[in-house]
Amino acid sequence: MPKISDQHREQRRAQILDAAWRCIHREGVQATTMEEIIAEAGLSASAMYRYFSGKEDIVVSAITTSLRGLSERLVPLIDATDDLGVPELVARIGSEIRAFSARRGFDLVPIAVHGWSEAQRNERVRAVLREFYGAFRARLADRVRRWQRDGAVAPRSDPAEVAEVLLSLVLGFVAQAAIMGDVDPAAHRRGLAALARTTPPAVELKQRTRSSR
Amino acid sequence: MPKISDQHREQRRAQILDAAWRCIHREGVQATTMEEIIAEAGLSASAMYRYFSGKEDIVVSAITTSLRGLSERLVPLIDATDDLGVPELVARIGSEIRAFSARRGFDLVPIAVHGWSEAQRNERVRAVLREFYGAFRARLADRVRRWQRDGAVAPRSDPAEVAEVLLSLVLGFVAQAAIMGDVDPAAHRRGLAALARTTPPAVELKQRTRSSR
Amino acid sequence: MPKISDQHREQRRAQILDAAWRCIHREGVQATTMEEIIAEAGLSASAMYRYFSGKEDIVVSAITTSLRGLSERLVPLIDATDDLGVPELVARIGSEIRAFSARRGFDLVPIAVHGWSEAQRNERVRAVLREFYGAFRARLADRVRRWQRDGAVAPRSDPAEVAEVLLSLVLGFVAQAAIMGDVDPAAHRRGLAALARTTPPAVELKQRTRSSR
Amino acid sequence: MPKISDQHREQRRAQILDAAWRCIHREGVQATTMEEIIAEAGLSASAMYRYFSGKEDIVVSAITTSLRGLSERLVPLIDATDDLGVPELVARIGSEIRAFSARRGFDLVPIAVHGWSEAQRNERVRAVLREFYGAFRARLADRVRRWQRDGAVAPRSDPAEVAEVLLSLVLGFVAQAAIMGDVDPAAHRRGLAALARTTPPAVELKQRTRSSR
DNA sequence: GATGAATGAGTCTTCATTCAT
DNA sequence: AATGAATGAAGACTCATTCAT
């Protein structure tokens, strides 16, 4: 008896969250009205409130759930013991984000940006995002350490700092895709690979320049 | 008479836009109410509508104006004929964005994220952002070409693709700062420098062996 | 079968009415929601509607039932052939009301006031209260007549008018307890006794002089 | 300039409070909807909220304002140095309450009962009522002291306790009028006068009875 | 006999905008 | 040129009640 009920409940919650995602995707968090979510979910206002305590609950749940799903797809990628290089991994993550989006009739890219915006004003959303991206960055740092062991990344660099740059690349890929709409993972891979073939960076260059004068 | 009027007009508009920035910074575009902007600007509701046709007008104007100001500070950086390397330039841009924020009682970092979010649903905002970031990216591509001429970036790589990665780094820096709050330009510079010393992965290694030798 | 059913039915009804009392005691009639009563009674929404036709039915039934209970305790007091004086009887009634309250986890004093309020807008509640208080007043009038026979109350006064004053004293005791919270029956007894030792005012003095002597 | 504005403001607030009284008179506090008050006041919902912060604000203000008005009419009565006796004063107060009601298209008697009910669940209303009735009772105690000096009330009785009984009489008069609808001040005056001609109360009677056995 | 799920009408409140002065 | 006052449409959320099982 509880089994059916619980199952029903989870099903309804998923239905509502999916509707919420489609709405947020279109209008962002604040401009999405309960009425829209309700219409999109195909049920009545009062029914909603049996499953979620309010708009914020829906928003936070939707973000949490979705990040969990995204996490399930990204973590194996990062943890994999393949011999992908930095540009390849970044590109793979980008592809995965795009693929994740495509599945359910909404695009994760604009939603991510809406979520970042909401995190600026909603403490709970901020907490959820921080936890997710913090864990993501920590995993990237682990990968950097493995790259260092394999000799693919300079051994004396700080894995945390490299992971920070990698996270920026991923977030920046999403942001640029959201705004410009024209970025693709392969181009990013090539561009990043080009940077990796860069001659020694400017600080050292400068120092050399100075010392040579 | 018209001169004074125009000057007055511009002054009032600036006053309103500044108020709008402070509000948007706190609450985002959608959750900011006209009432808040009016209160923050210290004038009457009807006065507002004498200088702007409505909320959207204020939002678009505020974003346009601010990006123009940001542009004025970033363009010289990118166009400069100094011998900054890639990581250094990215770090400098990050610092500049942070510095730009600090001046007027609001932080550009959250505002940027709010703007990206708004661009997903407001065509005019999207157009403004696309133009700005497109021009920014084009300028970065020019810089990449110069780096290529100087031998600091691999000569056969596509400048547009490298510029795309650079833009991602900058946007990602902003996004990460907005969400995590703990990134600083120097760490990014060092992390990026580490990536630039990366050994290409096995597959690529062969290619490089072929092409560069 | 019908017997068990009836017994079961009465038991369920009592359970619901008790729950309703506890809710009304806390929030008043209008602000008490069916949901609250349902939760307090510990059964389902639909079960409710099997035993009562709706909220009004519950409210009217609860008031009726409770007044019947109160009546059972007050009537013997009034009808008793003890030699209680006016102040003592009023105080005893007050004590009884307080005691009646204490039994079941709710306080009759606030509930009475909520009932009076509801009677202003609900015809059925008004009818129930009028009948109860009317009968109560009539019984008090009987007692006044007995007091007159005993010489405890001036013989030529109108028993109905004296009963009216006595009812006011009882209702006022309840109202004052509800609002001020600090009245106790004993103080009322003493205060009322003091009034009974009052010297009639000048105008009345003459009349009394004439009529009683 | 501020003068006109302030005057306008007070006028509008009075208009709204009057509308609120008429609604509360009909339906009680909880069952009165903002929509009703708005319609009764003849303005728009948003206009209301310029003058009152919400429903509770209206309710508390309405009660406060009205009690102030009632106070202005009752205080002179109680403080007067006329030679009214206890029954006469109680009756006069009752008449005044009825007269106060009649003026503005609503009846204070049901409203008072609604207010008492609301006080059971709304702290601010309770505070307002307690202050009012507390002050009222204190004034009655002063009057009792004067009666004691004049010899109209037994000198050794506690004025506070007598005042408590007097307040009960007034509140009870209101309650009885609200519920039964048939009480009038003159009947109360006569009934109370009859009680004042009562033979020594039962406690003493009893004691005497016992001691005489 | 009983219940969990559902709902339409309504509840208070706020919004961007306009109007009379 | 400027403002305080006003508004209609919509915002999130709740209510008493009913229905399919």
Side-chain angles (χ1 to χ4, degrees):
Chain A
M1 203 185 295
K3 220 172 189 178
I4 292 168
S5 189
D6 275 16
Q7 193 184 333
H8 177 82
R9 184 180 172 77
E10 281 315 308
Q11 193 181 317
R12 271 269 185 278
R13 282 179 64 98
Q15 170 188 356
I16 292 166
L17 292 182
D18 253 44
W21 273 123
R22 287 192 293 274
C23 293
I24 292 173
H25 158 66
R26 284 196 301 267
E27 293 293 329
V29 173
Q30 288 300 313
T32 289
T33 70
M34 287 301 270
E35 204 185 348
E36 281 165 356
I37 299 177
I38 286 159
E40 184 79 35
L43 35 79
S44 72
S46 6
M48 290 236 48
Y49 286 89
R50 284 185 67 81
Y51 299 99
F52 292 95
S53 70
K55 191 181 173 183
E56 188 184 307
D57 191 19
I58 294 181
V59 167
V60 173
S61 298
I63 290 175
T64 307
T65 308
S66 183
L67 288 180
R68 199 175 300 141
L70 184 59
S71 197
E72 280 168 17
R73 307 198 87 204
L74 296 185
V75 161
L77 236 61
I78 302 171
D79 292 354
T81 54
D82 50 35
D83 53 0
L84 251 48
V86 172
E88 287 71 31
L89 182 66
V90 169
R92 281 293 302 275
I93 292 172
S95 300
E96 203 62 49
I97 288 172
R98 286 240 137 144
F100 183 78
S101 320
R103 285 184 311 167
R104 289 195 243 171
F106 58 80
D107 186 351
L108 197 65
V109 162
I111 291 182
V113 172
H114 290 311
W116 301 346
S117 170
E118 186 64 11
Q120 306 305 304
R121 57 184 299 280
N122 181 321
E123 222 177 316
R124 289 176 63 197
V125 171
R126 187 161 58 240
V128 168
L129 289 195
R130 281 200 179 167
E131 199 196 317
F132 174 76
Y133 287 117
F136 186 74
R137 202 166 59 177
R139 271 212 145 71
L140 285 172
D142 286 344
R143 177 78 186 231
V144 169
R145 279 184 206 98
R146 276 183 283 136
W147 273 324
Q148 288 178 318
R149 278 202 296 276
D150 299 348
V153 162
R156 313 201 51 163
S157 51
D158 180 351
E161 288 180 351
V162 176
E164 210 173 289
V165 171
L166 293 178
L167 180 55
S168 278
L169 278 165
V170 171
L171 297 180
F173 172 83
V174 171
Q176 195 170 176
I179 301 161
M180 305 303 287
D182 61 0
V183 283
D184 87 306
H188 250 62
R189 192 197 63 226
R190 289 191 297 269
L192 191 50
L195 284 183
R197 289 193 301 271
T198 292
T199 53
V203 184
E204 295 177 24
L205 198 70
K206 250 185 180 174
Q207 290 173 340
R208 261 188 294 166
T209 311
R210 275 195 217 123
S211 62
S212 67
R213 284 187 187 172
Chain B
M1 179 96 60
K3 217 172 190 178
I4 292 170
S5 197
D6 273 17
Q7 193 184 338
H8 180 75
R9 184 179 172 76
E10 281 315 307
Q11 192 181 319
R12 274 268 190 273
R13 281 179 64 98
Q15 171 188 356
I16 292 166
L17 292 181
D18 251 45
W21 274 121
R22 287 192 293 273
C23 292
I24 292 173
H25 159 241
R26 286 195 299 265
E27 291 294 327
V29 172
Q30 289 299 315
T32 290
T33 69
M34 287 298 272
E35 206 184 343
E36 282 165 355
I37 299 177
I38 287 160
E40 183 80 36
L43 37 82
S44 74
S46 356
M48 226 68 269
Y49 285 88
R50 195 160 282 282
Y51 297 104
F52 292 95
S53 71
K55 191 182 175 183
E56 189 187 306
D57 191 20
I58 294 179
V59 167
V60 173
S61 298
I63 290 175
T64 309
T65 308
S66 183
L67 288 181
R68 198 174 302 142
L70 184 61
S71 198
E72 279 167 17
R73 307 198 85 203
L74 295 186
V75 162
L77 235 61
I78 302 170
D79 291 355
T81 55
D82 50 35
D83 50 5
L84 250 51
V86 171
E88 288 70 31
L89 181 66
V90 168
R92 281 292 301 275
I93 292 172
S95 300
E96 202 63 47
I97 288 170
R98 288 236 136 148
F100 183 77
S101 320
R103 284 185 310 169
R104 288 194 246 171
F106 58 81
D107 186 351
L108 197 64
V109 162
I111 291 183
V113 173
H114 290 311
W116 303 346
S117 170
E118 186 63 11
Q120 307 304 303
R121 57 183 298 278
N122 182 319
E123 221 177 317
R124 288 176 64 197
V125 171
R126 187 162 57 243
V128 168
L129 288 195
R130 280 201 178 164
E131 199 198 315
F132 174 75
Y133 287 117
F136 187 74
R137 201 166 60 177
R139 272 214 144 70
L140 285 172
D142 286 344
R143 178 78 186 230
V144 169
R145 278 183 207 99
R146 276 184 282 136
W147 271 324
Q148 288 178 316
R149 278 202 296 276
D150 299 348
V153 164
R156 311 199 54 162
S157 50
D158 180 350
E161 289 179 352
V162 177
E164 212 174 286
V165 171
L166 293 179
L167 180 55
S168 278
L169 279 165
V170 171
L171 298 180
F173 172 82
V174 171
Q176 195 169 179
I179 301 161
M180 306 302 287
D182 61 359
V183 284
D184 87 307
H188 250 61
R189 193 196 65 224
R190 290 190 297 268
L192 191 50
L195 283 183
R197 290 192 301 270
T198 291
T199 312
V203 190
E204 292 270 323
L205 198 67
K206 283 179 196 164
Q207 293 175 338
R208 193 165 73 132
T209 310
R210 273 189 228 133
S211 63
S212 65
R213 284 194 184 174
Chain C
M1 179 90 67
K3 217 172 189 180
I4 292 169
S5 195
D6 274 16
Q7 193 184 338
H8 180 77
R9 183 180 171 76
E10 280 316 306
Q11 193 180 318
R12 274 267 191 275
R13 282 178 63 97
Q15 170 188 357
I16 291 167
L17 292 181
D18 251 44
W21 274 121
R22 287 192 293 273
C23 292
I24 292 172
H25 158 241
R26 286 195 299 265
E27 292 295 327
V29 173
Q30 288 300 314
T32 289
T33 70
M34 286 299 271
E35 206 185 342
E36 282 165 357
I37 298 177
I38 287 160
E40 184 80 34
L43 36 80
S44 73
S46 355
M48 213 82 259
Y49 285 88
R50 195 160 281 281
Y51 298 102
F52 292 95
S53 72
K55 191 181 173 182
E56 189 186 305
D57 192 19
I58 294 179
V59 167
V60 174
S61 299
I63 289 173
T64 308
T65 309
S66 182
L67 288 180
R68 198 174 303 143
L70 184 60
S71 198
E72 281 167 16
R73 308 199 87 204
L74 295 186
V75 162
L77 234 63
I78 302 170
D79 292 354
T81 55
D82 50 34
D83 51 2
L84 250 49
V86 172
E88 287 70 30
L89 183 65
V90 168
R92 280 291 303 270
I93 292 173
S95 300
E96 202 63 49
I97 288 170
R98 287 239 137 145
F100 183 77
S101 321
R103 285 184 311 165
R104 288 195 245 171
F106 59 80
D107 186 352
L108 197 65
V109 162
I111 291 184
V113 172
H114 290 311
W116 302 347
S117 169
E118 187 63 12
Q120 306 306 303
R121 56 183 299 277
N122 182 319
E123 222 177 317
R124 290 176 62 198
V125 171
R126 186 163 57 243
V128 169
L129 289 195
R130 279 200 180 165
E131 199 199 315
F132 173 77
Y133 287 117
F136 186 75
R137 201 166 59 179
R139 272 212 144 70
L140 285 172
D142 286 344
R143 178 78 186 232
V144 169
R145 280 184 206 97
R146 277 184 282 135
W147 272 324
Q148 288 178 317
R149 279 201 297 274
D150 299 350
V153 163
R156 311 198 53 162
S157 49
D158 179 350
E161 288 180 350
V162 177
E164 210 173 287
V165 170
L166 294 179
L167 180 55
S168 278
L169 278 166
V170 171
L171 298 181
F173 172 82
V174 171
Q176 195 169 179
I179 301 162
M180 306 301 287
D182 61 358
V183 284
D184 87 307
H188 250 61
R189 192 198 64 226
R190 291 190 297 268
L192 191 50
L195 283 183
R197 289 192 304 270
T198 291
T199 311
V203 189
E204 292 271 322
L205 198 69
K206 284 179 195 165
Q207 292 175 340
R208 193 166 71 131
T209 309
R210 272 187 229 135
S211 61
S212 63
R213 285 193 184 171
Chain D
M1 204 185 296
K3 219 171 188 178
I4 293 169
S5 190
D6 275 17
Q7 193 184 332
H8 176 83
R9 185 179 171 78
E10 281 316 307
Q11 193 180 316
R12 271 269 185 277
R13 282 179 64 98
Q15 169 188 356
I16 292 165
L17 292 181
D18 254 44
W21 273 123
R22 286 191 294 273
C23 293
I24 291 173
H25 158 65
R26 285 196 299 267
E27 293 294 329
V29 172
Q30 288 299 314
T32 289
T33 69
M34 287 301 270
E35 204 185 346
E36 283 164 356
I37 299 177
I38 286 159
E40 184 80 35
L43 34 81
S44 72
S46 6
M48 289 233 54
Y49 285 89
R50 286 184 66 82
Y51 299 100
F52 292 95
S53 70
K55 191 181 174 182
E56 187 185 307
D57 191 19
I58 293 180
V59 167
V60 173
S61 297
I63 290 175
T64 308
T65 308
S66 184
L67 288 181
R68 198 174 302 143
L70 184 60
S71 195
E72 280 167 17
R73 306 198 87 202
L74 295 186
V75 161
L77 236 62
I78 302 171
D79 291 355
T81 55
D82 50 35
D83 52 0
L84 250 50
V86 171
E88 287 70 28
L89 182 65
V90 168
R92 280 293 302 274
I93 291 172
S95 302
E96 201 64 50
I97 288 171
R98 287 240 136 145
F100 182 77
S101 320
R103 284 184 310 165
R104 289 194 242 170
F106 58 81
D107 186 351
L108 196 64
V109 162
I111 291 183
V113 172
H114 289 310
W116 302 346
S117 170
E118 185 64 11
Q120 306 305 304
R121 55 183 300 278
N122 181 321
E123 220 177 317
R124 289 176 63 198
V125 171
R126 186 161 57 243
V128 169
L129 289 195
R130 281 201 178 165
E131 200 198 315
F132 174 76
Y133 288 117
F136 186 74
R137 203 166 58 178
R139 270 212 146 70
L140 285 172
D142 286 344
R143 178 78 186 231
V144 170
R145 279 183 208 99
R146 275 183 285 136
W147 272 325
Q148 288 178 317
R149 277 202 298 274
D150 299 351
V153 163
R156 310 200 55 160
S157 51
D158 180 350
E161 288 180 350
V162 177
E164 211 174 288
V165 171
L166 293 178
L167 180 56
S168 277
L169 278 164
V170 171
L171 297 181
F173 171 82
V174 171
Q176 195 170 178
I179 301 161
M180 305 304 286
D182 61 359
V183 284
D184 88 306
H188 249 62
R189 191 198 66 227
R190 290 190 297 269
L192 190 51
L195 285 183
R197 290 191 301 270
T198 292
T199 52
V203 183
E204 296 176 24
L205 198 70
K206 251 185 178 173
Q207 291 173 343
R208 258 188 296 167
T209 310
R210 273 192 218 125
S211 62
S212 67
R213 283 187 187 172

